Amino acid sequence: MYQRVMLKLSGQALAGGTSDVFHGPSIEYIAGEIIALANNGIQVAAMVGGGNVFRGKVSEKWNIERAEADNIGMLGTIANGLMLRGAIESLSDLQPRVMSALAIPSVAEPYIRRRALHHLEKGQIIILVGGIGEPLVTTDYPSVQRAIELKCDAVLAAKNGVDGVYSSDPKVDADAALYEAISYTEAIAKNLSFMDAGALVLARAHSLPTHVFNFDAKGCAQRICNGEVVGTYLNSGIDTRQQS
């Protein structure tokens, strides 16, 4: 059973598949899933994306320099983290700590590794925002880096409406196969696009388990922490298996 996990959340999850920046029911659902983990004794660090607010990859379309666009996106992650903290506090007695890689002390603590570890050891949820504090990377990479720094047992890569890692895009390929398990080496070689390749390389170097799963299925994160086979499991040196 996992005792401490990194939950990787996309910014789009807070939009709930709508055209809105924030979708109240979706945010409450995410908060409820995190609260359930904490109430079951799991120490939770959550890395939040900012794609619902602004995505760096649209920089060319808007004629914005990519590094500047990524800075805007990092600010979006801060807004998402504050929104998620507010939702958790409104639904429980928990008091999550928002920790930012960008200095913004009036609304969030700076990310300091030893302080973050102290919060987790006290059973407090930490919400990590600002990515890694530098442009040109998505929040996939810092989710793995922070998981390693904070001695997490695994990364839980939450997807919306996707059950795990497929051999190809299931939306366009009816024959796409769902992997039950796949090694980092094979996932990188096949150029599977569920996470940034840099994040996979870092996870492989540290043999950090990653679980890719459908966050829309209630209770999946808890089931994974309890040792159930849900979604796709990735690690170094494991045999690849497709779901039968």
Side-chain angles (χ1 to χ4, degrees), residues 4-86:
R4 178 182 297 171
V5 296
M6 173 65 67
L7 180 62
K8 170 62 176 71
L9 296 166
S10 70
Q12 294 293 343
L14 281 76
T18 71
S19 59
D20 296 332
V21 174
F22 299 115
H23 181 246
S26 296
I27 294 171
E28 288 188 5
Y29 173 78
I30 295 167
E33 291 294 282
I34 294 173
I35 291 167
L37 288 174
N39 286 343
N40 280 283
I42 307 298
Q43 297 175 9
V44 181
M47 174 69 68
V48 186
N52 57 318
V53 179
F54 191 83
R55 301 185 74 87
K57 67 181 181 181
V58 306
S59 57
E60 289 186 11
K61 179 181 177 182
W62 286 26
N63 199 29
I64 301 173
E65 184 184 6
R66 175 59 192 267
E68 189 69 3
D70 282 350
N71 288 334
I72 298 169
M74 284 188 278
L75 293 175
T77 70
I78 295 171
N80 285 342
L82 297 178
M83 181 66 74
L84 188 55
R85 177 175 67 183

Side-chain angles (χ1 to χ4, degrees), residues 13-243:
L14 281 76
T18 71
S19 59
D20 296 332
V21 174
F22 299 115
H23 181 246
S26 296
I27 294 171
E28 288 188 5
Y29 173 78
I30 295 167
E33 291 294 282
I34 294 173
I35 291 167
L37 288 174
N39 286 343
N40 280 283
I42 307 298
Q43 297 175 9
V44 181
M47 174 69 68
V48 186
N52 57 318
V53 179
F54 191 83
R55 301 185 74 87
K57 67 181 181 181
V58 306
S59 57
E60 289 186 11
K61 179 181 177 182
W62 286 26
N63 199 29
I64 301 173
E65 184 184 6
R66 175 59 192 267
E68 189 69 3
D70 282 350
N71 288 334
I72 298 169
M74 284 188 278
L75 293 175
T77 70
I78 295 171
N80 285 342
L82 297 178
M83 181 66 74
L84 188 55
R85 177 175 67 183
I88 292 172
E89 289 179 339
S90 72
L91 296 172
S92 71
D93 294 327
L94 300 171
Q95 295 183 318
R97 313 302 289 258
V98 177
M99 307 190 79
S100 177
L102 292 175
I104 187 163
S106 60
V107 297
E109 299 177 41
Y111 172 76
I112 299 172
R113 186 183 69 88
R114 291 176 65 89
R115 183 183 293 177
L117 283 168
H118 179 66
H119 290 331
L120 289 171
E121 289 162 359
K122 290 174 61 178
Q124 293 177 312
I125 297 163
I126 61 172
I127 301 171
L128 301 170
V129 300
I132 205 167
E134 298 290 341
L136 307 181
V137 292
T138 73
T139 48
D140 286 344
Y141 190 91
S143 69
V144 173
Q145 178 172 333
R146 298 302 190 221
I148 295 165
E149 292 177 358
L150 298 176
K151 304 177 183 179
C152 293
D153 298 321
V155 172
L156 307 187
K159 303 295 181 180
N160 298 97
V162 180
D163 292 329
V165 179
Y166 284 82
S167 57
S168 58
D169 188 347
K171 295 179 181 178
V172 298
D173 182 3
D175 295 324
L178 175 64
Y179 291 105
E180 183 177 294
I182 186 170
S183 70
Y184 288 123
T185 297
E186 186 166 350
I188 294 166
K190 290 180 178 294
N191 197 30
L192 300 177
S193 59
F194 61 96
M195 287 181 76
D196 285 353
L200 299 180
V201 169
L202 183 61
R204 179 179 64 181
H206 292 266
S207 297
L208 175 68
T210 295
H211 296 264
V212 181
F213 68 104
N214 185 0
F215 196 57
D216 293 340
K218 190 174 180 62
C220 269
Q222 183 64 57
R223 290 168 57 198
I224 291 169
C225 290
N226 290 341
E228 292 187 39
V229 177
V230 179
T232 303
Y233 171 68
L234 294 101
N235 210 333
S236 305
I238 63 172
D239 294 330
T240 296
R241 302 187 305 275
Q242 292 184 349
Q243 192 175 83

